[in-house]
Amino acid sequence: MRTCRLFCTAVVSTLLALGCSRPEPGAPPVARREAVPEIFHGVSLQDPYRWMEKAENAAELERWMLAQGGYAQTLLAGLPGREAWYRRLLELYQEGTAVSSVTVRCGQLFYLETGAGESIARLVHRDASGAGRVLYEPAAGRESIANYSVSPDATTVAVNITENGSEYSVIRFIDVASTRLLDDRLWPVWGEFEAVWEPDSKGVYYVQMNRQALADPEVDDLLNTQVLRHRLGAHFESPVFMRTAQTAALLQPEAFPVVERPADGDWEVLFGLRAHPSVLVMARRAGSTEWTKLVDFDDGIRWAVAWRNTLYLLDQGIPSHSRILEIGLDQPEPSLASARVAYMGEQNISFMVVASDGVYLLVEDEGISRLLRLPHGGSSAEPLDMPQEGAISEFRGDAREEGVTFALEDWHSPKRHYRYTSSRGLEALSLGDAGGSTSGKFTVTRIHAVSADGTEIPVTVMHRDGLELDGARPTILQGYGAYGVTYRPFHDTARIAWLEAGGVYAYAHVRGGGLRGAAWHAAGSGRNKMNGVRDFIAAAEALVAAGYTDAAHLAAYGGSMGGILIGRAITERPEAFAAASIHVGLLNAMRFLEADNGSNQKAELGYTDDEQGFRTLLAQDPYHHLVPGRRYPSTLLTVGLHDRRVAPWMSAKFAARLAETSSHPLPMLLRVDHADGHGLLANREQRAARMADVFAFFMRVFERSD
């Protein structure tokens, strides 16, 4: 009862504390508690909100979350400056035309385009003459295009279509000549996985989610995914890789199988993927039913591509080196042991794509990108001239087409799209790239923090040119620290609005990311996960020491797997931050295996198979480090009800326990978007609304700290 009284008192006084201009909303409901005591390896844990995880309680959880979300929305809408933030953010988001996912096929261009003033991307086709037209326009307010792929002869496009921000998709097929939708439908498909075309353009391979989940909500539909072949116009699919007792020994349930048959090749190649920078590879001759494993996840191979009857492997198993290995599938017994070293360099090669004129290598140096081309059969790679220094994304190629396409951006300027071919060199693609251009000039500085173990941690800091650094500037420190993902120089629309207003924005390049290659990632994942948390705290201290801000004007920000980083930073050192916001965060590491897509995270987090594994997960679990009576930063949690990457109950459990335990007089809010998922497919209005809420929330907390 004491906890309830404290929480309700804090809720009733929230609007007065924040100085909101709107009438006080009713207090949100206090979450139901159930005693769930557990003892693991002598450690006693309490999990009073375990009920939120269970499928039979889904309706109750949704009602509670929507009530919390309604309360938060009313409060946030009344914050001073919130509407001004929204108007400026929407103006920036809708400025110019945004282009992504460019594909070249048979001299024609295909891409996703969001026009100036528009909300969501459409699929556009530009023929060899340069004439453009829309192939698919998503239904307004409901649909999004998650992915697409173009047939080798450029006559048909397979489009992954989703609804309400969910990444569940149905694959539909569009006849390019007539823009007509064909009758074929493939479902259920995770939106990330595009259809892979067969060489004759008459069929596709596709990854089907676990259909058992349609009848049983306790089944994780992202476990035991399978590969089927669909021929256009057919009313059935044929199996390619099915989950059986025989294949269980070849591929773990959480790994995703992706199959292709390279053009002019005699083999089908299966790539096993998971949420970790490593790949498994199997192959079989076309027509055979037996798969042979060539590469396992533990072999240190980061990526693989196929060209005709050749397999190229990106090997990062040697410290400080990357090399490209080549396996000829036609040799008597193809294997990793028989691979030829096609190229070796000291560069951090992070990715590669294959084209008809060679293998193109993406090299990263402290976040700055370069490209190399390795000709087929060659042993030396030539560097490609770049139009500017920056970061490369949307790096795409096809074994049947010459060259690659890519986008290039930096901290100041938005993406511009280019094509490179060995015959014509570098060409700018005139696709109207102009979204969110920087309206002012900003200073970008690299400082360094010293982490608890003495490791030097880079921190990128941005602010408006000429800004007086008075030691108390409103500052956001963002971090992620997982999967080897790097904060490379990139243009961010929301960040512009914050910098224009006189704020400081910083990125902590913590371990667990990939700024300095595979070793940097390994030093912050699994048993080393807490290194990244300590790095983030050190980055916060470095910003204060450098005179940018102080703890009363510093907010921690992150999301998804970065929820562990931000959640543990504010529970480990709550006094270092005035505020925090976590978007769709993974916040209960001890229970990630119970969530959809949970098993896919084992390679990054570890798992409780023994005492060491238990202690590893417990150490990185924000939920279990919330201590009653401690003053945590005022926190805004944001979540989409249709999220299938990170279970929404993760945010709900953390919100309930944070409200119960924190002694902070300012609010702990759960913002809920019932028409969004993980945020990857959110429209421009949704993005502007969420970031307006985050910025207005931070600013009001900072003002109350003065």
Side-chain angles (χ1 to χ4, degrees):
M1 289 298 293
R2 178 176 179 273
T3 298
C4 179
R5 286 197 300 273
L6 285 173
F7 174 55
C8 291
T9 299
V11 165
V12 169
S13 63
T14 290
L15 280 146
L16 293 175
L18 283 177
C20 295
S21 58
R22 295 198 176 188
E24 177 183 317
V30 177
R32 173 168 64 87
R33 292 172 52 90
E34 286 184 357
V36 184
E38 295 178 305
I39 298 178
F40 297 94
H41 303 287
V43 178
S44 177
L45 298 178
Q46 295 289 331
D47 192 356
Y49 303 109
R50 176 76 59 83
W51 66 267
M52 294 183 176
E53 304 174 17
K54 299 178 181 178
E56 62 263 29
N57 297 325
E60 179 185 2
L61 173 62
E62 182 171 331
R63 287 193 300 272
W64 181 83
M65 291 184 70
L66 288 174
Q68 290 282 335
Y71 169 76
Q73 203 60 60
T74 301
L75 191 152
L76 291 165
L79 291 178
R82 191 273 174 190
E83 286 307 306
W85 280 114
Y86 176 72
R87 288 193 300 271
R88 180 55 180 149
L89 284 161
L90 188 60
E91 179 184 26
L92 287 167
Y93 276 117
Q94 293 187 335
E95 190 175 271
T97 297
V99 171
S100 64
S101 305
V102 178
T103 297
V104 176
R105 190 75 79 246
C106 301
Q108 304 170 60
L109 285 175
F110 299 81
Y111 52 93
L112 299 180
E113 175 189 86
T114 310
E118 297 177 344
S119 179
I120 204 72
R122 61 172 71 89
L123 179 61
V124 175
H125 166 241
R126 185 180 291 184
D127 64 24
S129 71
R133 60 193 176 131
V134 176
L135 288 183
Y136 190 80
E137 183 90 50
R142 180 167 58 89
E143 290 184 342
S144 300
I145 298 175
N147 217 327
Y148 76 94
S149 61
V150 184
S151 64
D153 63 5
T155 62
T156 314
V157 182
V159 185
N160 296 64
I161 302 169
T162 72
E163 293 188 359
N164 297 320
S166 169
E167 290 180 83
Y168 266 46
S169 76
V170 57
I171 294 179
R172 299 296 308 274
F173 295 85
I174 301 170
D175 176 71
V176 173
S178 66
T179 72
R180 179 177 61 89
L181 274 174
L182 306 183
D183 292 335
D184 308 67
R185 292 173 179 262
L186 307 180
W187 186 85
V189 178
W190 190 243
E192 185 174 335
F193 294 109
E194 64 189 47
V196 180
W197 286 91
E198 294 189 82
D200 66 0
S201 297
K202 299 183 183 301
V204 297
Y205 301 97
Y206 75 100
V207 181
Q208 185 184 70
M209 298 168 69
N210 191 333
R211 294 184 64 89
Q212 294 181 22
L214 299 176
D216 184 354
E218 297 292 343
V219 173
D220 184 349
D221 43 20
L222 291 175
L223 283 179
N224 292 309
T225 53
Q226 306 182 128
V227 179
L228 301 175
R229 177 189 288 110
H230 174 76
R231 302 293 286 177
L232 293 180
H235 298 289
F236 61 90
E237 281 80 43
S238 55
V240 177
F241 183 85
M242 309 304 286
R243 298 292 185 161
T244 66
Q246 289 74 28
T247 61
L250 295 174
L251 190 70
Q252 298 92 322
E254 65 270 17
F256 300 99
V258 176
V259 172
E260 69 169 279
R261 181 176 177 180
D264 302 320
D266 304 314
W267 295 74
E268 289 178 319
V269 182
L270 183 150
F271 304 98
L273 309 176
R274 56 183 183 168
H276 189 269
S278 58
V279 65
L280 173 150
V281 185
M282 294 187 279
R284 69 182 185 187
R285 282 196 177 274
S288 172
T289 60
E290 299 296 324
W291 291 99
T292 299
K293 185 182 293 187
L294 304 176
V295 176
D296 213 336
F297 285 120
D298 297 330
D299 289 329
I301 302 302
R302 183 184 179 96
W303 195 243
V305 294
W307 180 73
R308 296 181 178 173
N309 291 326
T310 299
L311 189 66
Y312 291 100
L313 309 174
L314 170 52
D315 179 17
Q316 291 191 330
I318 302 175
S320 73
H321 285 77
S322 296
R323 59 181 186 171
I324 306 302
L325 306 179
E326 180 184 304
I327 297 177
L329 295 176
D330 282 337
Q331 59 184 295
E333 293 186 9
S335 67
L336 185 58
S338 66
R340 176 183 81 90
V341 178
Y343 174 75
M344 176 177 285
E346 295 185 4
Q347 304 100 330
N348 174 25
I349 302 174
S350 62
F351 196 63
M352 65 179 176
V353 299
V354 66
S356 65
D357 56 344
V359 180
Y360 287 79
L361 312 177
L362 178 59
V363 179
E364 304 282 356
D365 182 8
E366 294 282 321
I368 302 299
S369 303
R370 293 185 294 113
L371 287 181
L372 307 176
R373 185 178 73 91
L374 175 66
H376 293 298
S379 58
S380 62
E382 59 175 328
L384 310 185
D385 292 332
M386 292 290 103
Q388 68 183 66
E389 185 177 90
I392 287 174
S393 61
E394 302 180 35
F395 184 36
R396 299 163 76 98
D398 186 273
R400 296 168 287 254
E401 296 280 346
E402 183 186 10
V404 291
T405 58
F406 60 91
L408 185 62
E409 62 188 317
D410 60 26
W411 295 116
H412 297 280
S413 54
K415 291 178 181 177
R416 296 290 186 269
H417 286 83
Y418 298 88
R419 184 186 185 194
Y420 178 89
T421 60
S422 54
S423 62
R424 300 179 61 176
L426 186 69
E427 301 173 279
L429 298 175
S430 300
L431 299 176
D433 300 313
S437 60
T438 301
S439 60
K441 294 185 177 180
F442 304 96
T443 297
V444 182
T445 305
R446 175 69 65 87
I447 67 172
H448 292 87
V450 179
S451 195
D453 62 359
T455 301
E456 192 177 78
I457 308 301
V459 184
T460 298
V461 188
M462 300 183 67
H463 59 79
R464 193 177 63 206
D465 279 1
L467 183 71
E468 180 185 355
L469 300 178
D470 58 6
R473 281 289 167 188
T475 300
I476 296 174
L477 177 61
Q478 184 171 336
Y480 188 70
Y483 306 133
V485 172
T486 301
Y487 283 124
R488 302 175 300 161
F490 73 104
H491 181 265
D492 180 68
T493 301
R495 187 181 65 222
I496 294 172
W498 183 259
L499 298 178
E500 285 177 345
V504 174
Y505 210 109
Y507 297 91
H509 302 283
V510 303
R511 285 171 287 183
L515 185 72
R516 292 175 176 163
W520 196 252
H521 170 231
S525 63
R527 296 182 180 183
N528 300 318
K529 198 71 177 173
M530 285 301 293
N531 281 340
V533 174
R534 299 183 187 104
D535 296 348
F536 190 82
I537 293 170
E541 294 171 340
L543 288 171
V544 173
Y548 289 101
T549 191
D550 56 22
H553 297 86
L554 179 59
Y557 179 69
S560 193
M561 183 61 80
I564 285 182
L565 180 74
I566 307 303
R568 282 298 286 117
I570 65 173
T571 52
E572 188 83 358
R573 283 286 304 281
E575 68 277 8
F577 308 94
S581 182
I582 302 171
H583 182 52
V584 295
L586 199 158
L587 292 160
N588 190 189
M590 286 290 295
R591 300 290 296 169
F592 80 91
L593 285 176
E594 306 305 315
D596 288 340
N597 196 35
S599 294
N600 193 32
Q601 315 308 318
K602 289 192 293 188
E604 179 68 26
L605 298 178
Y607 41 98
T608 56
D609 56 340
D610 54 25
E611 182 174 355
Q612 179 61 55
F614 158 75
R615 295 188 181 279
T616 293
L617 283 180
L618 180 60
Q620 60 189 277
D621 190 311
Y623 175 78
H624 280 296
H625 280 84
L626 290 168
V627 178
R630 198 163 188 192
R631 184 184 172 105
Y632 294 108
S634 189
T635 300
L636 172 61
L637 301 167
T638 61
V639 65
L641 281 184
H642 299 286
D643 192 356
R644 302 305 296 269
R645 284 183 183 256
V646 177
W649 56 253
M650 291 261 185
S651 293
K653 288 179 68 175
F654 190 80
R657 197 162 195 172
L658 181 61
E660 173 191 14
T661 56
S662 180
S663 64
H664 202 300
L666 294 184
M668 310 293 164
L669 299 179
L670 179 63
R671 181 191 187 277
V672 178
D673 190 333
H674 66 276
D676 196 13
H678 202 62
L680 300 175
L681 300 173
N683 61 40
R684 285 169 162 177
E685 289 85 356
Q686 287 174 308
R687 295 174 190 272
R690 181 172 67 83
M691 293 312 300
D693 288 343
V694 170
F695 289 168
F697 179 82
F698 284 166
M699 291 300 289
R700 197 56 179 157
V701 172
F702 296 157
E703 290 168 8
R704 298 299 300 176
S705 300
D706 289 339

